[in-house]
Amino acid sequence: MSFKPSSFSSSSFFFLLFLFFFFASHVSSQACQKTCGQIPIKYPLGTGSGCGDPRFTRYIKCDPDQQTLTLTTHTGCYPITSVDYAKQVIYVTDPSMSTCACTRPSRGFGLDWDAPFSFHDDTVFTLLDCSVDESPVFTPLSNGTGRVSLCDRQSSSICTFLYSNCRAISLINLQVSTCCVYVPLDLGPSFEMDLRKLRCSSYSGFYNLGPGQEPHPENWNYGIALKYKFNVFDEYPVVCGGCERSNGACGYNTQTSSFVCNCPGGINTTSDCFFLYNSASILLPWFSREWVMYPLSWVVIWTVMSLPQRS
């Protein structure tokens, strides 16, 4: 019995080994992540500097340790519970917001004036425990005979249901007259809800009550719905679509803010990531493109090919 060296030379083996590490690194890692916890990340959102749209990076971040997506404004840091990319709506929660589960004192909620967000029409704010004598939402009449409410009178039933059917709030025994439905339009151009100035102790925010759920505040969707736009014309960038279809993440050059496509392995291009797979097909035409996504399979093949052949 004898062995003879394989025709598969050591130089060929190291060449293929180089290709393995090259493509493995490109497939296994990516600077801009596609998810943050359970939330998918798509343009214009990003997971850090250089990812997504630069206008959003200042306000939305992903905590790499906790894997939580958060919105930061001048009034605080708020967890993002979900994102509806089709409707371009971001849903956030405020830990200091009062709900049927718990009532808390709060400072309020505000958006930065230059933030690329606005309150969605479905968002409703209800000011709780407001001072009837001091709150500016109850404006005194010029003749001094009483006060007129600046609240949304057509939605006064919401106050009734909160104060009577919401256990955490009903236990405080507040008068319904101290409640005020305050729609986002009333916040003014600064999008500021300062409860100290409004002389209210807390607030509740919700959206999408659902059909037949108005009398059941325990089933309301508590939180704040924020609308965003891609740009002035609200058009999704065509180049970004091609990037995401090629398994890339839309990002930007941190120096020039110009578009880049972040590909697996952290490589940035100005178009898309299809070149990675096209290059693999040229270098290794006997492999299908799917093999590029499973580089560990190559190790077995290369190992067998590099072994001495028995004769």
Side-chain angles (χ1 to χ4, degrees), residues 132-154:
V132 178
D133 297 325
E134 299 179 354
S135 176
V137 298
F138 306 120
T139 305
L141 296 173
S142 56
N143 57 15
T145 58
R147 305 177 73 87
V148 59
S149 173
L150 300 180
C151 308
D152 185 355
R153 295 183 179 180
Q154 293 183 347

Side-chain angles (χ1 to χ4, degrees), residues 199-264:
R199 296 293 193 274
C200 303
S201 64
S202 186
Y203 83 101
S204 185
F206 42 87
Y207 54 87
N208 188 21
L209 300 183
Q213 294 301 313
E214 187 175 346
H216 306 285
E218 69 278 6
N219 296 331
W220 295 354
N221 291 315
Y222 290 92
I224 302 167
L226 301 176
K227 183 76 173 176
Y228 68 82
K229 297 177 65 175
F230 295 118
N231 45 51
V232 174
F233 302 104
D234 199 20
E235 297 176 346
Y236 188 85
V238 177
V239 66
C240 184
C243 172
E244 291 186 339
R245 285 192 297 272
S246 66
N247 199 34
C250 301
Y252 61 94
N253 184 306
T254 56
Q255 302 298 322
T256 63
S257 292
S258 56
F259 171 82
V260 296
C261 181
N262 183 246
C263 300

Side-chain angles (χ1 to χ4, degrees), residues 72-138:
T72 301
T73 76
H74 65 281
T75 57
C77 185
Y78 309 95
I80 295 177
T81 56
S82 62
V83 181
D84 189 329
Y85 290 99
K87 296 181 179 179
Q88 299 171 221
V89 181
I90 299 172
Y91 298 97
V92 304
T93 58
D94 180 359
S96 70
M97 177 188 297
S98 292
T99 66
C100 278
C102 185
T103 58
R104 303 177 179 89
S106 175
R107 293 175 49 198
F109 179 88
L111 290 175
D112 295 8
W113 69 270
D114 57 347
F117 314 102
S118 60
F119 290 105
H120 193 277
D121 292 340
D122 289 343
T123 299
V124 176
F125 291 122
T126 302
L127 307 181
L128 307 177
D129 192 21
C130 301
S131 172
V132 178
D133 297 325
E134 299 179 354
S135 176
V137 298
F138 306 120

Side-chain angles (χ1 to χ4, degrees), residues 27 43 55-56 104-105 127 146 148 153 184 215 227 293 297:
V27 171
Y43 184 88
R55 298 177 305 143
F56 289 74
R104 303 177 179 89
L127 307 181
V148 59
R153 295 183 179 180
K227 183 76 173 176
M293 302 306 294
S297 301

